[in-house]
Structures are given as structure tokens and as C-alpha cells.
């Protein structure tokens, strides 16, 4: 990081029965090079994905996890809840069906500081398993 004092970041993620994708994005989060002590990870699962599995996939970063399972919550309500719960100076929203590079959070923070902006987006690579999902992911990646 260029900044001597990194800012505290909340990474938020909602999902509904996206087990395989959750494994992948949580592993991506576990590999982030952003300083762990300046990071919190908030997950709201509306399906059956167990907290213990999330902690396993996060590895050493599992100590930074705050997890809820609320089956009746819509995605919009879940996102609103996580934003309210977030303690970070910056909130990074991720989707379960994406892949991020190991410097994703760091680059988002750097860009927000450099440009002095309140909303920054980064490249999330959509993924899919079935033929139809892969086709949709490919379309979503097209400029």
C-alpha cells in the first residue's frame, strides 16, 4: 500500500445457496494482500451455506468474519443490512459468482484515496458452471 496508514475496509457478500461459488470467492478473499487487521468480512447467507465452511475457506482471515444466516431476507434487504453493520471506512461489495485478484481490495482502496471519491468499482470476473451460466458470464465480461 502507498498509504502509511491503511483504512479499515468492510468486505460484504450476500448469497443464497451458491455453495461452490461461495467457496471460490471466500478463498479469493483469504488471499487478499490487504492487511488483515484493517479488514472485516461480512457474509449474509439466505440459504444453507454453513458458517464453519466459510471460516474454513477464509483460513487465517476467518477471525475477521461476521456471519448471518437469514433465510427470509431478499438480496436488497441483505445488502442494506450488511452496509448498516459495516464498520469500515470503505465498503467493498462482492458477488458470490465472481473471482477477484489478490490485490483487489488494495487497488480499490488506492483508487478511492487517489481520486478522493466515494464510489469505486473494480473488475470482478463472473463465473459459471453450466453451459448457460458460462455463456452469461462471458456476456457479462464483454466491454
Amino acid at each position: 500500500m502507498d498509504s502509511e496508514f491503511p483504512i479499515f475496509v468492510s468486505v460484504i457478500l450476500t448469497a443464497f445457496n451458491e455453495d461452490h461459488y461461495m467457496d471460490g470467492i471466500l478463498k479469493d478473499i483469504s488471499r487478499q494482500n490487504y492487511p488483515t487487521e484493517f479488514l472485516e468480512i461480512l457474509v449474509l447467507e439466505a440459504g444453507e451455506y454453513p458458517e464453519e465452511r466459510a471460516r474454513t475457506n477464509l483460513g487465517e482471515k476467518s477471525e475477521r468474519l461476521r456471519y448471518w444466516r437469514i433465510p427470509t431476507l431478499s438480496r436488497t434487504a441483505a445488502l442494506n443490512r450488511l452496509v448498516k453493520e459495516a464498520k469500515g471506512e470503505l465498503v467493498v461489495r462482492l458477488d458470490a459468482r465472481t473471482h477477484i485478484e489478490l490485490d483487489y481490495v488494495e487497488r480499490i482502496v488506492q483508487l478511492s484515496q487517489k481520486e478522493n471519491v466515494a464510489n469505486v468499482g473494480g473488475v470482478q470476473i463472473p463465473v459459471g458452471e453450466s453451459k448457460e451460466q458460462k455463456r452469461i458470464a462471458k456476456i457479462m465480461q464483454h466491454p
Side-chain angles (χ1 to χ4, degrees):
M1 294 257 345
D2 292 338
S3 175
E4 187 177 340
F5 301 102
I7 64 170
F8 192 73
V9 175
S10 298
V11 175
I12 66 172
L13 176 64
T14 64
F16 176 73
N17 289 338
E18 299 180 284
D19 295 14
H20 174 72
Y21 300 107
M22 285 289 287
D23 290 345
I25 191 65
L26 291 170
K27 286 177 184 173
D28 285 352
I29 294 169
S30 77
R31 293 188 281 264
Q32 290 300 294
N33 63 1
Y34 198 76
T36 302
E37 64 270 20
F38 291 98
L39 191 65
E40 73 171 347
I41 303 153
L42 289 77
V43 173
L44 197 150
E45 166 61 36
E48 299 297 323
Y49 191 83
E51 180 178 352
E52 191 54 43
R53 186 167 168 183
R55 291 190 180 283
T56 298
N57 283 308
L58 283 170
E60 292 178 6
K61 286 191 173 56
S62 67
E63 66 190 42
R64 310 305 295 173
L65 176 65
R66 295 170 56 206
Y67 185 95
W68 295 266
R69 180 180 295 126
I70 307 174
T72 58
L73 229 49
S74 69
R75 185 172 302 269
T76 303
L79 286 170
N80 288 337
R81 166 95 184 244
L82 291 181
V83 169
K84 286 178 187 172
E85 293 282 348
K87 297 176 182 173
E89 190 176 331
L90 183 68
V91 175
V92 174
R93 179 190 181 270
L94 297 176
D95 289 313
R97 292 183 182 217
T98 56
H99 166 69
I100 56 172
E101 298 297 330
L102 66 97
D103 62 345
Y104 184 84
V105 172
E106 179 182 32
R107 289 173 57 201
I108 292 291
V109 170
Q110 288 173 341
L111 187 57
S112 72
Q113 290 176 331
K114 176 183 173 192
E115 300 297 330
N116 194 29
V117 294
N119 186 7
V120 178
V123 176
Q124 297 180 37
I125 303 166
V127 296
E129 281 189 2
S130 72
K131 193 174 187 177
E132 182 179 3
Q133 290 172 347
K134 287 178 182 178
R135 204 173 312 137
I136 291 168
K138 187 170 182 131
I139 292 167
M140 290 176 67
Q141 292 178 43
H142 190 277

Tab-separated table of all heavy atoms in Angstrom, residues 62-96:
chain	number	residue	atom	x	y	z
A	62	SER	N	-10.376	-15.886	8.799
A	62	SER	CA	-11.672	-16.243	9.379
A	62	SER	C	-11.945	-15.498	10.679
A	62	SER	O	-13.098	-15.282	11.035
A	62	SER	CB	-11.771	-17.754	9.607
A	62	SER	OG	-10.874	-18.161	10.608
A	63	GLU	N	-10.900	-15.054	11.354
A	63	GLU	CA	-11.088	-14.286	12.589
A	63	GLU	C	-11.741	-12.939	12.312
A	63	GLU	O	-12.277	-12.299	13.215
A	63	GLU	CB	-9.749	-14.075	13.296
A	63	GLU	CG	-8.797	-13.193	12.513
A	63	GLU	CD	-7.387	-13.173	13.071
A	63	GLU	OE1	-6.879	-14.228	13.462
A	63	GLU	OE2	-6.809	-12.078	13.091
A	64	ARG	N	-11.734	-12.505	11.063
A	64	ARG	CA	-12.301	-11.210	10.682
A	64	ARG	C	-13.753	-11.341	10.191
A	64	ARG	O	-14.373	-10.363	9.806
A	64	ARG	CB	-11.464	-10.566	9.568
A	64	ARG	CG	-9.969	-10.529	9.843
A	64	ARG	CD	-9.593	-9.867	11.132
A	64	ARG	NE	-9.944	-8.458	11.077
A	64	ARG	CZ	-9.860	-7.639	12.110
A	64	ARG	NH1	-9.447	-8.076	13.278
A	64	ARG	NH2	-10.197	-6.386	11.988
A	65	LEU	N	-14.305	-12.572	10.213
A	65	LEU	CA	-15.637	-12.847	9.677
A	65	LEU	C	-16.746	-12.524	10.669
A	65	LEU	O	-16.683	-12.905	11.832
A	65	LEU	CB	-15.742	-14.324	9.271
A	65	LEU	CG	-17.109	-14.801	8.777
A	65	LEU	CD1	-17.494	-14.119	7.465
A	65	LEU	CD2	-17.119	-16.313	8.618
A	66	ARG	N	-17.778	-11.856	10.154
A	66	ARG	CA	-19.054	-11.702	10.852
A	66	ARG	C	-20.089	-12.321	9.917
A	66	ARG	O	-20.175	-11.959	8.746
A	66	ARG	CB	-19.342	-10.232	11.132
A	66	ARG	CG	-18.297	-9.664	12.107
A	66	ARG	CD	-18.365	-8.162	12.258
A	66	ARG	NE	-19.684	-7.715	12.672
A	66	ARG	CZ	-20.148	-6.483	12.395
A	66	ARG	NH1	-19.420	-5.614	11.741
A	66	ARG	NH2	-21.353	-6.128	12.798
A	67	TYR	N	-20.862	-13.273	10.422
A	67	TYR	CA	-21.701	-14.126	9.575
A	67	TYR	C	-23.138	-14.163	10.081
A	67	TYR	O	-23.375	-14.293	11.282
A	67	TYR	CB	-21.107	-15.538	9.602
A	67	TYR	CG	-21.769	-16.529	8.684
A	67	TYR	CD1	-21.264	-16.759	7.414
A	67	TYR	CD2	-22.884	-17.248	9.087
A	67	TYR	CE1	-21.847	-17.677	6.569
A	67	TYR	CE2	-23.489	-18.164	8.248
A	67	TYR	CZ	-22.966	-18.375	6.991
A	67	TYR	OH	-23.547	-19.284	6.156
A	68	TRP	N	-24.078	-14.058	9.145
A	68	TRP	CA	-25.502	-14.184	9.469
A	68	TRP	C	-26.146	-15.148	8.488
A	68	TRP	O	-25.788	-15.182	7.315
A	68	TRP	CB	-26.225	-12.834	9.319
A	68	TRP	CG	-25.804	-11.779	10.260
A	68	TRP	CD1	-26.374	-11.464	11.468
A	68	TRP	CD2	-24.715	-10.857	10.098
A	68	TRP	NE1	-25.706	-10.413	12.045
A	68	TRP	CE2	-24.676	-10.027	11.232
A	68	TRP	CE3	-23.751	-10.661	9.103
A	68	TRP	CZ2	-23.742	-9.013	11.392
A	68	TRP	CZ3	-22.813	-9.663	9.263
A	68	TRP	CH2	-22.815	-8.851	10.394
A	69	ARG	N	-27.118	-15.916	8.965
A	69	ARG	CA	-27.970	-16.714	8.086
A	69	ARG	C	-29.403	-16.268	8.365
A	69	ARG	O	-29.939	-16.506	9.443
A	69	ARG	CB	-27.833	-18.205	8.335
A	69	ARG	CG	-28.764	-18.964	7.357
A	69	ARG	CD	-28.754	-20.474	7.460
A	69	ARG	NE	-27.456	-20.998	7.087
A	69	ARG	CZ	-26.743	-21.817	7.869
A	69	ARG	NH1	-27.196	-22.194	9.035
A	69	ARG	NH2	-25.579	-22.278	7.460
A	70	ILE	N	-29.996	-15.609	7.366
A	70	ILE	CA	-31.362	-15.109	7.494
A	70	ILE	C	-32.101	-15.488	6.209
A	70	ILE	O	-32.079	-14.753	5.217
A	70	ILE	CB	-31.399	-13.581	7.718
A	70	ILE	CG1	-30.492	-13.189	8.894
A	70	ILE	CG2	-32.835	-13.114	7.963
A	70	ILE	CD1	-30.343	-11.696	9.109
A	71	PRO	N	-32.755	-16.645	6.214
A	71	PRO	CA	-33.385	-17.175	5.004
A	71	PRO	C	-34.473	-16.291	4.401
A	71	PRO	O	-34.720	-16.349	3.206
A	71	PRO	CB	-33.986	-18.501	5.458
A	71	PRO	CG	-33.288	-18.846	6.708
A	71	PRO	CD	-32.864	-17.557	7.334
A	72	THR	N	-35.128	-15.464	5.170
A	72	THR	CA	-36.262	-14.696	4.662
A	72	THR	C	-35.868	-13.356	4.039
A	72	THR	O	-36.717	-12.667	3.490
A	72	THR	CB	-37.263	-14.423	5.805
A	72	THR	OG1	-36.578	-13.710	6.842
A	72	THR	CG2	-37.830	-15.718	6.347
A	73	LEU	N	-34.614	-12.995	4.085
A	73	LEU	CA	-34.181	-11.685	3.612
A	73	LEU	C	-33.925	-11.678	2.102
A	73	LEU	O	-33.263	-12.567	1.575
A	73	LEU	CB	-32.889	-11.300	4.335
A	73	LEU	CG	-32.806	-9.911	4.959
A	73	LEU	CD1	-34.028	-9.589	5.797
A	73	LEU	CD2	-31.554	-9.778	5.779
A	74	SER	N	-34.432	-10.673	1.412
A	74	SER	CA	-34.150	-10.507	-0.019
A	74	SER	C	-32.707	-10.028	-0.176
A	74	SER	O	-32.082	-9.571	0.787
A	74	SER	CB	-35.093	-9.473	-0.632
A	74	SER	OG	-34.777	-8.175	-0.136
A	75	ARG	N	-32.182	-10.103	-1.392
A	75	ARG	CA	-30.805	-9.640	-1.634
A	75	ARG	C	-30.665	-8.155	-1.295
A	75	ARG	O	-29.690	-7.743	-0.677
A	75	ARG	CB	-30.387	-9.891	-3.079
A	75	ARG	CG	-28.928	-9.527	-3.325
A	75	ARG	CD	-28.441	-9.934	-4.686
A	75	ARG	NE	-28.557	-11.343	-4.961
A	75	ARG	CZ	-27.606	-12.246	-4.724
A	75	ARG	NH1	-26.470	-11.880	-4.206
A	75	ARG	NH2	-27.799	-13.511	-5.019
A	76	THR	N	-31.634	-7.348	-1.680
A	76	THR	CA	-31.576	-5.914	-1.388
A	76	THR	C	-31.570	-5.662	0.112
A	76	THR	O	-30.753	-4.876	0.612
A	76	THR	CB	-32.767	-5.184	-2.049
A	76	THR	OG1	-32.734	-5.441	-3.452
A	76	THR	CG2	-32.711	-3.699	-1.794
A	77	ALA	N	-32.468	-6.328	0.827
A	77	ALA	CA	-32.522	-6.164	2.276
A	77	ALA	C	-31.235	-6.673	2.930
A	77	ALA	O	-30.740	-6.073	3.891
A	77	ALA	CB	-33.733	-6.901	2.849
A	78	ALA	N	-30.681	-7.759	2.398
A	78	ALA	CA	-29.426	-8.304	2.933
A	78	ALA	C	-28.276	-7.312	2.747
A	78	ALA	O	-27.483	-7.084	3.669
A	78	ALA	CB	-29.093	-9.637	2.258
A	79	LEU	N	-28.187	-6.723	1.558
A	79	LEU	CA	-27.137	-5.724	1.309
A	79	LEU	C	-27.303	-4.521	2.225
A	79	LEU	O	-26.329	-4.025	2.805
A	79	LEU	CB	-27.150	-5.294	-0.150
A	79	LEU	CG	-26.603	-6.304	-1.136
A	79	LEU	CD1	-26.898	-5.870	-2.568
A	79	LEU	CD2	-25.107	-6.507	-0.937
A	80	ASN	N	-28.528	-4.044	2.371
A	80	ASN	CA	-28.775	-2.916	3.267
A	80	ASN	C	-28.366	-3.244	4.698
A	80	ASN	O	-27.755	-2.425	5.385
A	80	ASN	CB	-30.246	-2.497	3.223
A	80	ASN	CG	-30.606	-1.794	1.933
A	80	ASN	OD1	-29.743	-1.238	1.261
A	80	ASN	ND2	-31.878	-1.816	1.582
A	81	ARG	N	-28.688	-4.442	5.130
A	81	ARG	CA	-28.315	-4.874	6.489
A	81	ARG	C	-26.797	-4.882	6.664
A	81	ARG	O	-26.271	-4.405	7.661
A	81	ARG	CB	-28.895	-6.262	6.749
A	81	ARG	CG	-28.347	-7.009	7.940
A	81	ARG	CD	-29.203	-6.815	9.177
A	81	ARG	NE	-28.610	-7.462	10.325
A	81	ARG	CZ	-29.163	-8.471	10.980
A	81	ARG	NH1	-30.320	-8.968	10.588
A	81	ARG	NH2	-28.574	-8.970	12.033
A	82	LEU	N	-26.084	-5.441	5.684
A	82	LEU	CA	-24.622	-5.516	5.791
A	82	LEU	C	-23.977	-4.136	5.757
A	82	LEU	O	-23.012	-3.886	6.488
A	82	LEU	CB	-24.048	-6.411	4.695
A	82	LEU	CG	-24.373	-7.898	4.823
A	82	LEU	CD1	-23.723	-8.677	3.689
A	82	LEU	CD2	-23.944	-8.451	6.173
A	83	VAL	N	-24.492	-3.242	4.941
A	83	VAL	CA	-23.944	-1.883	4.899
A	83	VAL	C	-24.135	-1.215	6.265
A	83	VAL	O	-23.223	-0.549	6.767
A	83	VAL	CB	-24.574	-1.058	3.761
A	83	VAL	CG1	-24.222	0.417	3.888
A	83	VAL	CG2	-24.116	-1.592	2.412
A	84	LYS	N	-25.292	-1.413	6.887
A	84	LYS	CA	-25.533	-0.837	8.223
A	84	LYS	C	-24.609	-1.454	9.272
A	84	LYS	O	-24.181	-0.780	10.204
A	84	LYS	CB	-26.998	-1.042	8.634
A	84	LYS	CG	-27.944	-0.127	7.902
A	84	LYS	CD	-29.386	-0.390	8.308
A	84	LYS	CE	-30.318	0.424	7.443
A	84	LYS	NZ	-31.722	0.078	7.666
A	85	GLU	N	-24.327	-2.740	9.135
A	85	GLU	CA	-23.464	-3.447	10.089
A	85	GLU	C	-21.974	-3.129	9.886
A	85	GLU	O	-21.177	-3.287	10.800
A	85	GLU	CB	-23.663	-4.962	9.966
A	85	GLU	CG	-25.009	-5.464	10.395
A	85	GLU	CD	-25.161	-5.547	11.910
A	85	GLU	OE1	-24.155	-5.436	12.637
A	85	GLU	OE2	-26.310	-5.704	12.366
A	86	ALA	N	-21.621	-2.691	8.691
A	86	ALA	CA	-20.212	-2.470	8.344
A	86	ALA	C	-19.592	-1.387	9.217
A	86	ALA	O	-20.184	-0.338	9.450
A	86	ALA	CB	-20.099	-2.088	6.870
A	87	LYS	N	-18.380	-1.655	9.672
A	87	LYS	CA	-17.636	-0.703	10.498
A	87	LYS	C	-16.538	-0.003	9.705
A	87	LYS	O	-15.884	0.897	10.203
A	87	LYS	CB	-17.024	-1.434	11.692
A	87	LYS	CG	-18.064	-2.032	12.618
A	87	LYS	CD	-17.413	-2.820	13.737
A	87	LYS	CE	-18.481	-3.453	14.613
A	87	LYS	NZ	-17.902	-4.351	15.616
A	88	GLY	N	-16.332	-0.441	8.478
A	88	GLY	CA	-15.247	0.091	7.666
A	88	GLY	C	-15.484	1.503	7.174
A	88	GLY	O	-16.621	1.945	7.008
A	89	GLU	N	-14.386	2.174	6.921
A	89	GLU	CA	-14.427	3.498	6.308
A	89	GLU	C	-14.820	3.360	4.833
A	89	GLU	O	-15.370	4.266	4.237
A	89	GLU	CB	-13.037	4.129	6.434
A	89	GLU	CG	-12.945	5.571	6.076
A	89	GLU	CD	-11.553	6.118	6.322
A	89	GLU	OE1	-10.842	5.628	7.219
A	89	GLU	OE2	-11.167	7.040	5.589
A	90	LEU	N	-14.535	2.200	4.284
A	90	LEU	CA	-14.847	1.877	2.892
A	90	LEU	C	-15.533	0.516	2.874
A	90	LEU	O	-15.111	-0.396	3.594
A	90	LEU	CB	-13.560	1.831	2.062
A	90	LEU	CG	-13.683	1.572	0.576
A	90	LEU	CD1	-14.359	2.758	-0.117
A	90	LEU	CD2	-12.304	1.367	-0.035
A	91	VAL	N	-16.588	0.383	2.082
A	91	VAL	CA	-17.296	-0.886	1.936
A	91	VAL	C	-17.023	-1.428	0.538
A	91	VAL	O	-17.215	-0.728	-0.452
A	91	VAL	CB	-18.818	-0.716	2.146
A	91	VAL	CG1	-19.549	-2.020	1.872
A	91	VAL	CG2	-19.112	-0.222	3.555
A	92	VAL	N	-16.575	-2.678	0.473
A	92	VAL	CA	-16.326	-3.354	-0.795
A	92	VAL	C	-17.370	-4.451	-0.928
A	92	VAL	O	-17.403	-5.385	-0.124
A	92	VAL	CB	-14.900	-3.955	-0.839
A	92	VAL	CG1	-14.703	-4.775	-2.101
A	92	VAL	CG2	-13.850	-2.853	-0.742
A	93	ARG	N	-18.240	-4.322	-1.934
A	93	ARG	CA	-19.292	-5.316	-2.161
A	93	ARG	C	-18.814	-6.323	-3.201
A	93	ARG	O	-18.352	-5.942	-4.270
A	93	ARG	CB	-20.562	-4.635	-2.660
A	93	ARG	CG	-21.675	-5.636	-2.923
A	93	ARG	CD	-22.833	-4.967	-3.649
A	93	ARG	NE	-23.907	-5.895	-3.875
A	93	ARG	CZ	-24.035	-6.656	-4.954
A	93	ARG	NH1	-23.137	-6.613	-5.905
A	93	ARG	NH2	-25.058	-7.474	-5.087
A	94	LEU	N	-18.963	-7.597	-2.875
A	94	LEU	CA	-18.594	-8.664	-3.804
A	94	LEU	C	-19.798	-9.551	-4.077
A	94	LEU	O	-20.703	-9.660	-3.247
A	94	LEU	CB	-17.465	-9.518	-3.219
A	94	LEU	CG	-16.139	-8.807	-2.964
A	94	LEU	CD1	-15.158	-9.752	-2.293
A	94	LEU	CD2	-15.556	-8.273	-4.258
A	95	ASP	N	-19.785	-10.197	-5.222
A	95	ASP	CA	-20.803	-11.180	-5.578
A	95	ASP	C	-20.210	-12.574	-5.459
A	95	ASP	O	-19.022	-12.774	-5.754
A	95	ASP	CB	-21.288	-10.962	-7.015
A	95	ASP	CG	-22.123	-9.704	-7.151
A	95	ASP	OD1	-23.022	-9.505	-6.309
A	95	ASP	OD2	-21.878	-8.935	-8.089
A	96	ALA	N	-21.020	-13.532	-5.057
A	96	ALA	CA	-20.541	-14.909	-4.891
A	96	ALA	C	-20.036	-15.486	-6.206
A	96	ALA	O	-19.033	-16.199	-6.227
A	96	ALA	CB	-21.653	-15.789	-4.318
